[in-house]
Coordinates of all heavy atoms in Angstrom, one line a residue:
R59 N -71.0 254.0 -175.2 CA -71.9 253.5 -174.3 C -72.6 252.2 -174.9 O -73.1 252.3 -176.0 CB -73.0 254.5 -173.8 CG -72.3 255.7 -173.1 CD -73.3 256.5 -172.4 NE -72.6 257.5 -171.6 CZ -72.2 257.3 -170.4 NH1 -72.4 256.1 -169.8 NH2 -71.6 258.3 -169.7
A60 N -72.7 251.2 -174.1 CA -73.3 249.9 -174.5 C -74.5 249.6 -173.6 O -74.3 249.5 -172.4 CB -72.3 248.8 -174.6
E61 N -75.7 249.4 -174.2 CA -76.9 249.0 -173.4 C -77.3 247.6 -173.9 O -77.5 247.4 -175.1 CB -78.0 250.0 -173.6 CG -77.8 251.3 -172.9 CD -77.9 251.2 -171.3 OE1 -78.5 250.2 -170.8 OE2 -77.2 252.0 -170.6
P62 N -77.4 246.7 -173.0 CA -77.8 245.3 -173.4 C -79.2 245.3 -174.0 O -80.1 246.0 -173.5 CB -77.7 244.5 -172.1 CG -76.7 245.3 -171.3 CD -77.0 246.7 -171.6
D63 N -79.4 244.5 -175.0 CA -80.7 244.3 -175.7 C -80.7 242.8 -176.0 O -80.3 242.4 -177.1 CB -80.8 245.1 -176.9 CG -82.2 244.9 -177.6 OD1 -83.1 244.3 -177.0 OD2 -82.3 245.3 -178.8
G64 N -81.2 242.0 -175.0 CA -81.1 240.6 -175.1 C -79.6 240.2 -175.1 O -78.8 240.6 -174.3
E65 N -79.2 239.4 -176.1 CA -77.8 239.0 -176.2 C -76.9 240.1 -176.9 O -75.7 240.0 -177.0 CB -77.6 237.7 -176.9 CG -78.2 236.5 -176.1 CD -77.9 235.2 -176.8 OE1 -77.4 235.2 -177.9 OE2 -78.2 234.1 -176.2
A66 N -77.6 241.1 -177.5 CA -76.9 242.1 -178.3 C -76.6 243.3 -177.4 O -77.1 243.4 -176.3 CB -77.7 242.5 -179.5
L67 N -75.8 244.2 -177.9 CA -75.5 245.5 -177.3 C -75.9 246.6 -178.3 O -75.6 246.5 -179.5 CB -74.1 245.7 -177.0 CG -73.4 244.7 -176.0 CD1 -71.9 244.9 -175.9 CD2 -74.1 244.9 -174.6
V68 N -76.6 247.6 -177.7 CA -76.9 248.8 -178.5 C -75.9 249.9 -178.2 O -75.8 250.3 -177.0 CB -78.3 249.3 -178.3 CG1 -78.6 250.6 -179.1 CG2 -79.4 248.2 -178.7
L69 N -75.1 250.3 -179.1 CA -74.0 251.2 -178.9 C -74.4 252.6 -179.3 O -75.0 252.8 -180.4 CB -72.7 250.8 -179.7 CG -72.2 249.3 -179.5 CD1 -70.9 249.2 -180.1 CD2 -72.2 249.0 -178.0
N70 N -73.9 253.6 -178.5 CA -74.1 255.0 -178.8 C -72.8 255.7 -178.5 O -72.1 255.4 -177.5 CB -75.2 255.6 -178.1 CG -76.6 255.2 -178.6 OD1 -77.1 255.7 -179.6 ND2 -77.2 254.2 -177.9
A71 N -72.4 256.7 -179.3 CA -71.2 257.5 -179.1 C -71.4 258.8 -179.8 O -72.2 258.9 -180.8 CB -70.0 256.8 -179.7
P72 N -70.8 259.9 -179.3 CA -71.0 261.2 -179.8 C -70.7 261.3 -181.3 O -69.6 260.8 -181.8 CB -70.0 262.1 -179.0 CG -69.8 261.3 -177.8 CD -69.9 259.9 -178.1
G73 N -71.6 261.8 -182.1 CA -71.4 262.0 -183.5 C -71.6 260.7 -184.3 O -71.3 260.8 -185.6
S74 N -72.0 259.7 -183.7 CA -72.2 258.4 -184.4 C -73.6 257.9 -184.3 O -74.3 258.2 -183.3 CB -71.3 257.3 -183.8 OG -69.9 257.7 -183.9
P75 N -74.2 257.3 -185.4 CA -75.5 256.7 -185.3 C -75.5 255.5 -184.3 O -74.4 254.9 -184.0 CB -75.8 256.2 -186.7 CG -74.4 255.9 -187.3 CD -73.5 257.0 -186.6
S76 N -76.6 255.1 -183.8 CA -76.7 253.9 -182.9 C -76.3 252.7 -183.7 O -76.5 252.6 -185.0 CB -78.1 253.7 -182.4 OG -78.4 254.8 -181.5
L77 N -75.7 251.7 -183.1 CA -75.3 250.5 -183.7 C -75.7 249.3 -182.8 O -75.5 249.4 -181.6 CB -73.8 250.5 -183.9 CG -73.2 249.1 -184.4 CD1 -73.5 249.0 -185.9 CD2 -71.7 249.0 -184.1
T78 N -76.3 248.3 -183.4 CA -76.6 247.1 -182.7 C -75.4 246.1 -182.9 O -75.2 245.7 -184.1 CB -77.9 246.5 -183.1 OG1 -78.9 247.4 -182.8 CG2 -78.2 245.2 -182.3
L79 N -74.8 245.7 -181.9 CA -73.6 244.8 -181.9 C -74.1 243.4 -181.4 O -74.4 243.3 -180.3 CB -72.5 245.3 -181.1 CG -71.1 244.6 -181.1 CD1 -70.5 244.6 -182.5 CD2 -70.2 245.2 -180.0
R80 N -74.0 242.4 -182.3 CA -74.5 241.1 -182.0 C -73.4 240.1 -181.9 O -72.5 240.1 -182.7 CB -75.5 240.6 -183.0 CG -76.7 241.6 -183.2 CD -77.8 241.0 -184.2 NE -78.8 242.0 -184.4 CZ -79.8 242.2 -183.6 NH1 -79.9 241.5 -182.5 NH2 -80.8 243.1 -183.9
P81 N -73.5 239.2 -180.9 CA -72.4 238.2 -180.8 C -72.5 237.3 -182.0 O -73.5 236.8 -182.4 CB -72.8 237.4 -179.5 CG -73.7 238.3 -178.7 CD -74.4 239.1 -179.8
P82 N -71.4 237.1 -182.7 CA -71.4 236.2 -183.8 C -71.6 234.7 -183.4 O -70.9 234.2 -182.5 CB -70.0 236.4 -184.4 CG -69.1 236.9 -183.3 CD -70.0 237.6 -182.4
A83 N -72.5 234.1 -184.1 CA -72.8 232.7 -183.8 C -71.9 231.8 -184.5 O -71.7 230.6 -184.0 CB -74.3 232.4 -184.2
S84 N -71.2 232.2 -185.5 CA -70.3 231.4 -186.2 C -69.3 232.3 -187.0 O -69.4 233.5 -186.8 CB -71.0 230.5 -187.2 OG -71.7 231.2 -188.1
G85 N -68.5 231.8 -187.8 CA -67.6 232.6 -188.6 C -66.2 232.5 -188.1 O -65.9 231.7 -187.2
P86 N -65.3 233.2 -188.8 CA -63.9 233.1 -188.5 C -63.5 233.6 -187.1 O -64.2 234.4 -186.5 CB -63.2 233.9 -189.6 CG -64.2 235.0 -189.9 CD -65.6 234.3 -189.8
R87 N -62.4 233.1 -186.6 CA -61.8 233.6 -185.4 C -60.5 234.2 -185.8 O -59.9 233.9 -186.8 CB -61.5 232.5 -184.4 CG -62.8 231.8 -183.8 CD -62.4 230.8 -182.7 NE -63.6 230.1 -182.3 CZ -64.4 230.5 -181.2 NH1 -64.0 231.6 -180.6 NH2 -65.4 229.9 -180.9
I88 N -60.0 235.2 -185.0 CA -58.7 235.8 -185.2 C -57.9 235.7 -183.9 O -58.5 235.5 -182.8 CB -58.8 237.3 -185.6 CG1 -59.4 238.1 -184.5 CG2 -59.6 237.4 -186.9 CD1 -59.2 239.6 -184.7
E89 N -56.6 235.9 -184.0 CA -55.8 236.0 -182.8 C -55.9 237.4 -182.2 O -55.6 238.3 -182.9 CB -54.4 235.6 -183.1 CG -54.1 234.2 -183.4 CD -52.6 233.8 -183.5 OE1 -51.8 234.8 -183.6 OE2 -52.3 232.6 -183.4
A90 N -56.5 237.5 -181.0 CA -56.6 238.8 -180.4 C -55.7 238.8 -179.2 O -55.6 237.8 -178.4 CB -58.0 239.0 -179.9
T91 N -54.9 239.9 -179.0 CA -53.9 240.0 -178.0 C -54.3 240.9 -176.9 O -54.7 242.1 -177.2 CB -52.6 240.4 -178.6 OG1 -52.2 239.6 -179.7 CG2 -51.5 240.5 -177.6
V92 N -54.3 240.5 -175.7 CA -54.5 241.3 -174.5 C -53.3 241.2 -173.6 O -53.1 240.1 -173.0 CB -55.8 240.8 -173.7 CG1 -56.2 241.9 -172.7 CG2 -56.9 240.5 -174.6
W93 N -52.5 242.2 -173.5 CA -51.3 242.2 -172.8 C -50.4 241.0 -173.3 O -50.1 241.0 -174.5 CB -51.5 242.1 -171.3 CG -52.2 243.3 -170.7 CD1 -53.4 243.3 -170.2 CD2 -51.7 244.6 -170.6 NE1 -53.7 244.6 -169.8 CE2 -52.7 245.4 -170.0 CE3 -50.5 245.2 -171.0 CZ2 -52.5 246.8 -169.8 CZ3 -50.3 246.6 -170.8 CH2 -51.3 247.4 -170.2
K94 N -50.1 240.0 -172.5 CA -49.3 238.9 -173.0 C -50.1 237.7 -173.5 O -49.5 236.7 -173.9 CB -48.3 238.4 -171.9 CG -47.3 239.5 -171.6 CD -46.3 239.0 -170.5 CE -45.3 240.1 -170.1 NZ -44.4 239.6 -169.0
N95 N -51.4 237.8 -173.4 CA -52.3 236.7 -173.7 C -52.8 236.8 -175.2 O -53.1 237.9 -175.6 CB -53.5 236.6 -172.8 CG -53.2 236.4 -171.4 OD1 -53.7 237.2 -170.5 ND2 -52.3 235.5 -171.1
V96 N -52.8 235.7 -175.9 CA -53.3 235.6 -177.2 C -54.5 234.6 -177.2 O -54.3 233.5 -176.8 CB -52.3 235.2 -178.3 CG1 -52.9 235.1 -179.7 CG2 -51.1 236.2 -178.3
V97 N -55.6 235.1 -177.6 CA -56.8 234.2 -177.6 C -57.5 234.2 -179.0 O -57.2 235.0 -179.8 CB -57.9 234.7 -176.6 CG1 -57.3 234.7 -175.2 CG2 -58.4 236.1 -176.9
Q98 N -58.3 233.1 -179.2 CA -59.0 233.0 -180.5 C -60.4 233.6 -180.3 O -61.3 232.9 -179.8 CB -59.0 231.5 -180.8 CG -57.7 230.8 -181.0 CD -56.9 231.4 -182.2 OE1 -57.5 231.7 -183.3 NE2 -55.6 231.7 -182.0
A99 N -60.5 234.8 -180.8 CA -61.8 235.5 -180.6 C -62.6 235.5 -181.8 O -62.1 235.5 -183.0 CB -61.5 236.9 -180.1
R100 N -63.9 235.6 -181.7 CA -64.8 235.8 -182.8 C -64.8 237.3 -183.3 O -64.5 238.2 -182.5 CB -66.3 235.5 -182.4 CG -66.5 234.0 -182.1 CD -66.7 233.2 -183.3 NE -67.2 231.9 -183.0 CZ -67.2 230.9 -183.8 NH1 -66.8 231.0 -185.1 NH2 -67.7 229.7 -183.5
T101 N -65.1 237.5 -184.6 CA -65.1 238.8 -185.1 C -66.5 239.3 -185.3 O -67.5 238.5 -185.5 CB -64.4 238.8 -186.5 OG1 -65.0 237.9 -187.4 CG2 -62.9 238.5 -186.3
A102 N -66.7 240.6 -185.3 CA -68.0 241.2 -185.6 C -68.1 241.4 -187.1 O -67.2 241.1 -187.9 CB -68.1 242.5 -184.8
D103 N -69.3 242.0 -187.5 CA -69.5 242.2 -188.9 C -68.8 243.5 -189.4 O -68.3 244.3 -188.6 CB -71.0 242.2 -189.3 CG -71.8 243.3 -188.6 OD1 -71.2 244.4 -188.4 OD2 -72.9 243.0 -188.2
A104 N -68.7 243.6 -190.7 CA -68.0 244.7 -191.3 C -68.6 246.1 -190.9 O -67.8 247.1 -190.7 CB -67.9 244.6 -192.8
A105 N -69.9 246.1 -190.8 CA -70.5 247.4 -190.4 C -70.1 247.9 -189.0 O -69.9 249.1 -188.8 CB -72.1 247.3 -190.5
A106 N -70.0 246.9 -188.1 CA -69.6 247.3 -186.7 C -68.1 247.8 -186.7 O -67.8 248.7 -186.0 CB -69.7 246.1 -185.8
D107 N -67.3 247.1 -187.5 CA -65.9 247.5 -187.5 C -65.8 248.9 -188.2 O -64.9 249.7 -187.7 CB -65.1 246.5 -188.3 CG -64.9 245.2 -187.6 OD1 -65.3 245.1 -186.4 OD2 -64.5 244.2 -188.3
D108 N -66.6 249.2 -189.2 CA -66.5 250.5 -189.8 C -67.0 251.6 -188.8 O -66.4 252.7 -188.7 CB -67.5 250.5 -191.0 CG -67.5 251.8 -191.8 OD1 -66.4 252.2 -192.3 OD2 -68.5 252.5 -191.8
W109 N -68.0 251.2 -188.0 CA -68.5 252.2 -187.0 C -67.5 252.6 -186.0 O -67.2 253.8 -185.8 CB -69.7 251.5 -186.3 CG -70.5 252.4 -185.3 CD1 -71.6 253.1 -185.6 CD2 -70.2 252.6 -183.9 NE1 -72.1 253.8 -184.5 CE2 -71.3 253.4 -183.4 CE3 -69.3 252.1 -183.0 CZ2 -71.3 253.8 -182.1 CZ3 -69.3 252.5 -181.7 CH2 -70.4 253.4 -181.3
I110 N -66.7 251.6 -185.4 CA -65.7 252.0 -184.4 C -64.5 252.6 -185.1 O -63.8 253.5 -184.5 CB -65.4 250.7 -183.6 CG1 -64.5 251.2 -182.3 CG2 -64.6 249.7 -184.4 CD1 -65.2 252.1 -181.4
S111 N -64.2 252.2 -186.3 CA -63.0 252.8 -187.0 C -63.3 254.3 -187.3 O -62.4 255.1 -187.1 CB -62.8 252.1 -188.3 OG -62.4 250.7 -188.1
R112 N -64.5 254.6 -187.7 CA -64.9 256.0 -187.9 C -64.8 256.8 -186.6 O -64.3 258.0 -186.6 CB -66.3 256.1 -188.6 CG -66.3 255.6 -190.0 CD -67.7 255.7 -190.6 NE -67.8 255.3 -191.9 CZ -67.6 256.0 -193.0 NH1 -67.4 257.3 -192.8 NH2 -67.7 255.6 -194.2
F113 N -65.3 256.2 -185.6 CA -65.3 257.0 -184.3 C -63.9 257.2 -183.8 O -63.6 258.3 -183.3 CB -66.1 256.2 -183.2 CG -66.1 256.8 -181.9 CD1 -66.9 258.0 -181.7 CD2 -65.3 256.3 -180.8 CE1 -66.9 258.6 -180.4 CE2 -65.3 257.0 -179.6 CZ -66.1 258.1 -179.4
L114 N -63.0 256.3 -183.9 CA -61.6 256.4 -183.4 C -60.7 257.1 -184.4 O -59.7 257.7 -184.1 CB -61.0 255.1 -183.1 CG -61.6 254.4 -181.8 CD1 -60.9 253.0 -181.6 CD2 -61.3 255.3 -180.6
G115 N -61.1 257.1 -185.7 CA -60.3 257.7 -186.7 C -59.0 256.8 -187.1 O -58.0 257.4 -187.5
L116 N -59.2 255.5 -186.9 CA -58.1 254.6 -187.3 C -58.7 253.2 -187.5 O -59.8 252.9 -187.0 CB -57.0 254.6 -186.2 CG -57.5 254.3 -184.7 CD1 -57.5 252.8 -184.5 CD2 -56.6 255.0 -183.8

Side-chain angles (χ1 to χ4, degrees):
R59 298 193 171 276
E61 288 291 334
D63 181 13
E65 294 187 353
L67 296 175
V68 177
L69 308 188
N70 287 281
S74 300
S76 293
L77 172 78
T78 299
L79 185 63
R80 301 185 186 280
S84 60
R87 294 184 185 270
I88 66 164
E89 289 190 343
T91 304
V92 192
W93 298 111
K94 296 180 179 180
N95 299 132
V96 179
V97 300
Q98 300 296 317
R100 294 280 191 192
T101 57
D103 59 36
D107 292 348
D108 181 66
W109 187 92
I110 192 61
S111 296
R112 287 177 181 273
F113 179 72
L114 288 177
L116 55 88

